[in-house]
Amino acid sequence: MRNSENVLNSLAGHSQNPNYRFERLYRLLFNENLYALAYQMMSKNTGNMTKGTDGQTISGMSVKRIQSIIDKLRDESYQPHPAKRIYIPKKNGKQRPLGIPAFEDKLVQKVVQMILESIYEGQFEKCSHGFRPHRCCHTAMASIMEGFDGTRWFIEGDIKGFFDNIDHDIMIAILSERIADERFLRLIRKFLNAGYLEKWRFHNTFSGTPQGGIISPILANIYLDKLDKYVVEYISKFNRGKMRKRNPEYKRIASRKDKRVKKLKSETDEQKRAELRSEIVELHREMQKHPATLGMDEDFRRMRYVRYADDFLIGVIGSKEDCVNIKADIKKFLCEKLRLELSDEKTLITHGHDHAKFLGFEVTIRKSEKTRRGSNGMPKRSLDHKTVVLLPLEVMKSKLMEYKAMKIVIEDGKEKWESTSRPYLRSNDDLEILNRYNSEIRGIYNYYCIANNVSILNSFYQIMKESMYKTFSSKYNSTVRKIINSYTRDKIFRVQYEDSKGRKHERELYHGGFGRRKDARIDDADNLPSYRGMQRTSLMERLKACECEYCGATDNLRMIHVRKLKDLKGKHEWEKLMIARQRKTIAVCDKCYHKIHGSK
């Protein structure tokens, strides 16, 4: 049986030939090592402890369970279970549907996802950042900050109901361009057509792929890679000219300055040299009052594009009419080629000096007359026309209101933010309250740390800190001053606690500041995806050892998973064993498995 790393790296190597078509992929699904790797990668995700429509979770995984899946795949009797439909709230107040597959379907999907990623990842465009290894929202925003300088117009793109409207026939047709294996394609169609259960009522899925499915993100990227390639080709045709034309007025003043600089080099009289230096400085200041190039040059156009999932942002150096045409052309391509609809209400054309919204940030082009000294000591306008990424004030406000840590008071017709106690946290212990505030403060900072104005989070921090003081004071029926004096040492708020062994520790309220970070890294999408040095499949090795870790009996084993170690009370021997080993898993024989599940 081939090593899983060798299999995946071999696929990645062949993917670099754009004319290569992959055959006999389906037989890779008979490779037990791929399931071992998939199981190991999925084991730390607590979401796998949620039951699917078959009532099963990751707990109870065994070699036999994997072999049973492989047997069903061999004779093509394998049929995915319908996903369990749940809803989570969206920022706009609406509900987002999620589909939770059964765990065995997740396991097969993970193997299929690794195969598809090996084939397609190296061929995706650099402008795509969603659901890709080493890429995230931060790399998308970093590419905007690096490449959108001088933009005159933004096009904020949003595809209407993308995940619910993926056309299955087009999806399979796109996959068929690189995959010549009907059995493999039939399996993917089975996942697409599996349907979902909502309130125990079955619904067919004639289009779309469920958000929440492991295979959905890679399929979404394969589908929208067609859009990426269309836009990249569109850009090559749209772009025009090497550089903007020089502003005549700026050019005239620069010419006068250059003549005086040339004269200064040959002048020997110190008085005249001083006069020339003074003139040069004055002319340089006059130059700074005018743009170096023409703002509107019909012979110069540029277009940039970044996509994250079904949202994209386009930056245009050109006219608004150009933007209207670009939007219409993309809308036509999506409709005719991918049978998708561009959301008119969310796809906006925004001026560069206004604020375009993308991934929760606001993007704008700075307009500034400020100067700073260059390497030659002369002032230059290095801030003008630069891309600025901002944390919206509305985000801070909505977060504080969502946490119920703030109330808004109107004074003299103006909004005033006031911190409030959070009564629903009173029943928690001190450490839980502190951890809650720390996670909420760090959460918003970690996401918006690359924003130019991230320092405004100091206001958010002050309100959260005051809210925490008030929550503690209401919990202990005390005053804020007494709480601060009781918990603060060396000007830092601290909570002391004991661990399970009686050792004393303390945790501090976050006080690391809110400085801007610039460490978002953009990986080169042309690099081959590498699967070398992937984590060892230790869970499968323990199952294959056939020795029960609880009673020592020799038998076929099953792996028991628990969501969190801290949930174990240590009342049973198997709980004590897991706590002592600091493991959320234990491989046991059938007898112990039923005994433990009976005690649970």
Side-chain angles (χ1 to χ4, degrees), residues 288 366 370-372 380-386:
Q288 299 302 308
R366 181 187 280 129
K370 291 182 179 179
T371 61
R372 59 183 178 186
K380 63 177 184 178
R381 287 179 309 198
S382 57
L383 301 176
D384 197 27
H385 293 103
K386 293 294 183 182

Side-chain angles (χ1 to χ4, degrees), residues 177-373:
E177 293 174 7
R178 299 224 64 182
I179 298 172
D181 186 334
E182 288 300 321
R183 290 199 296 171
F184 190 81
L185 296 175
R186 276 201 299 272
L187 176 63
I188 292 177
R189 192 180 278 276
K190 281 183 180 180
F191 283 123
L192 294 173
N193 293 334
Y196 64 91
L197 284 182
E198 185 174 5
K199 296 180 180 178
W200 298 107
R201 188 175 176 185
F202 177 76
H203 299 265
N204 282 306
T205 46
F206 299 108
S207 65
T209 179
Q211 296 184 62
I214 289 179
I215 201 175
S216 297
I218 185 68
L219 290 180
N221 272 335
I222 292 169
Y223 202 83
L224 286 182
D225 184 57
K226 289 292 184 184
L227 171 64
D228 297 340
K229 286 180 166 47
Y230 168 76
V231 175
V232 168
E233 185 180 352
Y234 193 102
I235 289 172
S236 66
K237 295 175 182 176
F238 178 87
N239 288 355
R240 180 194 301 161
K242 290 185 178 181
M243 59 185 298
R244 283 191 179 102
K245 290 177 182 175
R246 300 275 282 186
N247 182 350
E249 184 63 21
Y250 182 93
K251 189 176 179 181
R252 183 183 64 80
I253 301 168
S255 177
R256 290 170 58 197
K257 177 191 163 187
D258 291 342
K259 287 178 181 177
R260 280 154 182 77
V261 169
K262 190 175 181 180
K263 190 175 180 180
L264 178 65
K265 291 178 181 178
S266 58
E267 184 61 61
T268 56
D269 186 276
E270 281 303 320
Q271 186 177 352
K272 290 183 179 180
R273 285 177 65 86
E275 290 175 0
L276 285 169
R277 287 195 195 97
S278 179
E279 284 186 57
I280 290 168
V281 170
E282 190 60 38
L283 286 168
H284 189 83
R285 284 176 183 161
E286 194 176 343
M287 283 170 60
Q288 299 302 308
K289 297 177 183 178
H290 304 277
T293 57
L294 291 175
M296 279 302 297
D297 181 359
E298 294 182 358
D299 297 323
F300 181 84
R301 296 192 312 189
R302 286 291 183 273
M303 177 176 164
R304 291 95 171 215
Y305 165 80
V306 172
R307 180 180 66 81
Y308 188 97
D310 56 342
D311 294 324
F312 60 85
L313 185 69
I314 294 174
V316 177
I317 298 177
S319 65
K320 187 173 183 180
E321 185 181 353
D322 291 330
C323 297
V324 172
N325 293 334
I326 291 167
K327 179 181 173 180
D329 291 339
I330 290 176
K331 185 175 184 177
K332 183 180 178 182
F333 173 84
L334 286 171
C335 180
E336 293 181 356
K337 301 296 182 182
L338 300 179
R339 293 183 191 170
L340 294 172
E341 185 180 350
L342 204 60
S343 174
D344 287 327
E345 60 182 24
K346 294 181 180 179
T347 304
L348 308 174
I349 297 174
T350 309
H351 193 274
H353 294 316
D354 294 331
H355 291 183
K357 292 179 173 60
F358 187 62
L359 301 181
F361 291 85
E362 288 183 346
V363 185
T364 186
I365 302 300
R366 181 187 280 129
K367 189 176 183 181
S368 174
E369 298 296 328
K370 291 182 179 179
T371 61
R372 59 183 178 186
R373 294 193 179 278

Side-chain angles (χ1 to χ4, degrees), residues 66-82:
I66 289 175
Q67 289 171 345
S68 172
I69 294 172
I70 292 174
D71 289 341
K72 290 176 186 176
L73 287 166
R74 282 185 192 277
D75 60 18
E76 292 195 66
S77 62
Y78 172 81
Q79 183 61 46
H81 296 83

Side-chain angles (χ1 to χ4, degrees), residues 536-563:
R536 293 172 63 248
T537 55
S538 57
L539 292 176
M540 288 301 296
E541 289 171 5
R542 287 163 61 195
L543 287 173
K544 289 179 178 179
C546 295
E547 183 178 341
C548 179
E549 295 176 353
Y550 186 42
C551 71
T554 302
D555 194 2
N556 291 316
L557 305 184
R558 299 195 211 184
M559 190 70 73
I560 288 181
H561 291 251
V562 295
R563 195 180 292 270

Side-chain angles (χ1 to χ4, degrees), residues 8-17 117-119 121-123 134 524-531:
L8 297 173
N9 283 318
S10 174
L11 293 175
H14 287 305
S15 72
Q16 294 308 289
N17 179 357
E117 190 177 273
S118 303
I119 294 171
E121 181 59 35
Q123 295 300 303
H134 311 300
D524 189 353
D526 290 335
N527 288 342
L528 281 172
S530 177
Y531 297 90

